Amino acid sequence: MWSTGFLKKIGASPEIAIETQEDQVVAGLVAHGFGIAVVPYMDLLLRLDVQILQIARPSWEREFYLIHGSRAYQSPAARSFREFVLDDACL
């Protein structure tokens, strides 16, 4: 889980009770009193009974990946986005 590496940077050692890949599920569990979580910002947080704290330190980077199937149909928008990423993004 990516947050484990992040927490090691500040010397924290979390006690993980539940893991899921769905950020919305994690936010719901926190809203129902199941602890705290590090999640990306999402509008759903504004509708839940949670306190949002922005992380300022330490700085953290996240990697994003683009994958595509060479034999799968790509809409014009998907094709444009792929070209944008390959031409303009820092690779």
Side-chain angles (χ1 to χ4, degrees), residues 11-42:
S13 179
E15 289 184 32
I16 300 172
I18 300 170
E19 287 190 52
T20 180
Q21 295 296 318
E22 300 297 327
D23 298 328
Q24 296 87 351
V25 172
V26 172
L29 290 170
V30 170
H32 284 87
F34 283 88
I36 64 172
V38 177
V39 298
Y41 177 80
M42 55 191 139

Side-chain angles (χ1 to χ4, degrees), residues 61-75:
E61 294 179 11
R62 193 164 194 182
E63 295 181 10
F64 294 90
Y65 298 89
L66 172 68
I67 62 170
H68 71 96
S70 59
R71 294 180 294 204
Y73 168 75
Q74 288 185 357
S75 68

Side-chain angles (χ1 to χ4, degrees), residues 47-85:
R47 296 188 299 271
L48 295 174
D49 185 20
V50 297
Q51 184 177 4
I52 302 169
L53 303 174
Q54 186 172 356
I55 298 172
R57 286 179 278 127
S59 63
W60 185 256
E61 294 179 11
R62 193 164 194 182
E63 295 181 10
F64 294 90
Y65 298 89
L66 172 68
I67 62 170
H68 71 96
S70 59
R71 294 180 294 204
Y73 168 75
Q74 288 185 357
S75 68
R79 202 167 32 255
S80 284
F81 179 71
R82 180 178 176 271
E83 290 171 7
F84 166 76
V85 170

